[in-house]
Amino acid sequence: MGRGTTARISVLPLGLSLTTGLCAGVLALCFLALMIGPYGLSPGEVLAALMGRGEAQAQIVVWNIRLPRIGAALLVGAALAAAGASYQALFRNPLVSPDILGVSAGAGLGAVAGIFLSLPVAAIQGAAFAGGMAAVGVVTLVAGLVRNTDRTLTLVLIGVVIGALAGAATSLLKVLADPYDQLPAITFWLLGSLASVTSADIGPALPAVILGLVPLALLRWRINVLSLGDEEARALGVEAGRTRFLVIAAATLITASVTALAGVVGWVGLVIPHIARMLVGPGFGRLLPTSVLIGAGYLLVVDTAARSIAAIEVPLGILTAVIGAPFFVWLLARGRRGWS
């Protein structure tokens, strides 16, 4: 056998062992998250509650409060990390995050409008999802009208503009909102939180995330080719425009669905793909599942800390920024390993 064959054989068990280790780590974190909180539980009490035994209060805490929240944290972290990895590979830029095309700003505007109009929670989440998708739709439409410019650069610049406009509209609604009722709710939502998540809230977001992840997994080799540049992609038989549109649509669907669930949670989609790339390299076939698992575990840890470190709950957006910003500076100081 040639040297290339030997390399492929040696890499495969490493990838499988890493994935297995990450899965085991996420499961261990889930069990710890069930134990930790204002109402502490021992390992035995958690196991008894999971089997429908033990004290009724412990069962309520495990099944009605912590399990839905753990599921939401896993879903949001995995989705944002997958979207971040996709955008970074697509735009060939390590500084790209899931909100680069204005999806977070659009979702924020939709949710703020729903709160301003005193809509029910389900309608607010629907407005957030619609706002995120509409923002990216406007970005794509306007970018299609601009000719004789670099397609990727045009998308990013118009995304910044649309995001700024959505942010300005959000600020206007905050000024007009009731300062005693609506404004606190708007501010808390924009900082991100899973405090009020229930199993019913996860239901609409889960199919949307799966629907977005499937094409990203199926297009993994095309995304690798597209990261080489449009000319190289065309030379290898990949239609760059169609692939780019599919990847953007899938990543936007993922981001909008979890933003509608948890609010605006930053830094996850920016930092986690870097960590995954340091572990498995830039190959998207390995990068995507690694990012998903690390992102899920990371946000679960952050959310557990958010509900445990203080007497009042700390918004997720604050903790992810406090942790993510210094870590990202450290990553930049180490250089761009894993991109070449």
Side-chain angles (χ1 to χ4, degrees), residues 20-293:
T20 303
L22 289 174
C23 289
V26 171
L27 290 175
L29 290 174
C30 290
F31 192 81
L32 288 174
L34 288 173
M35 296 168 52
I36 299 173
Y39 184 82
L41 296 172
S42 67
E45 289 174 323
V46 170
L47 290 174
L50 289 174
M51 293 185 292
R53 303 173 183 173
E55 297 182 2
Q57 187 172 358
Q59 294 185 42
I60 292 174
V61 169
V62 169
W63 284 101
N64 296 351
I65 300 176
R66 291 186 185 168
L67 275 179
R69 186 157 181 170
I70 288 171
L74 294 175
L75 183 66
V76 174
L80 292 176
S86 303
Y87 280 127
Q88 289 178 12
L90 183 67
F91 293 113
R92 291 175 290 163
N93 190 330
L95 299 179
V96 169
S97 61
D99 57 357
I100 189 64
L101 298 182
V103 59
S104 295
L109 176 58
V112 169
I115 296 172
F116 183 78
L117 296 173
S118 300
L119 299 179
V121 174
I124 292 173
Q125 293 178 348
F129 178 78
M133 297 298 290
V136 177
V138 172
V139 169
T140 306
L141 178 62
V142 175
L145 300 176
V146 178
R147 305 293 182 184
N148 302 322
T149 57
D150 180 77
R151 176 74 171 175
T152 301
L153 179 61
T154 301
L155 281 170
V156 172
L157 292 179
I158 295 176
V160 172
V161 172
I162 298 300
L165 290 174
T170 299
S171 298
L172 176 61
L173 289 177
K174 290 172 68 177
V175 170
L176 298 175
D178 181 355
Y180 300 104
D181 181 23
Q182 296 174 334
L183 185 58
I186 290 172
T187 302
F188 193 72
W189 193 93
L190 289 175
L191 290 175
S193 176
L194 296 174
S196 59
V197 167
T198 64
S199 300
D201 296 326
I202 301 175
L206 182 59
V209 172
I210 295 175
L211 186 61
L213 285 175
V214 168
L216 293 179
L218 295 177
L219 293 171
R220 59 190 181 277
W221 73 271
R222 293 178 182 268
I223 295 175
N224 282 333
V225 173
L226 199 62
S227 66
L228 301 174
D230 289 4
E231 294 183 2
E232 290 82 356
R234 282 192 293 269
L236 294 172
V238 175
E239 188 175 344
R242 180 180 299 176
T243 303
R244 182 181 291 109
F245 173 79
L246 290 173
V247 174
I248 289 175
T252 299
L253 176 64
I254 290 172
T255 305
S257 61
V258 297
T259 302
L261 175 66
V264 180
V265 180
W267 292 96
V268 178
L270 182 62
V271 173
I272 298 303
H274 282 269
I275 300 175
R277 198 173 291 108
M278 292 169 62
L279 293 174
V280 299
F284 198 75
R286 296 192 301 272
L287 180 64
L288 180 62
T290 304
S291 298
V292 165
L293 290 171

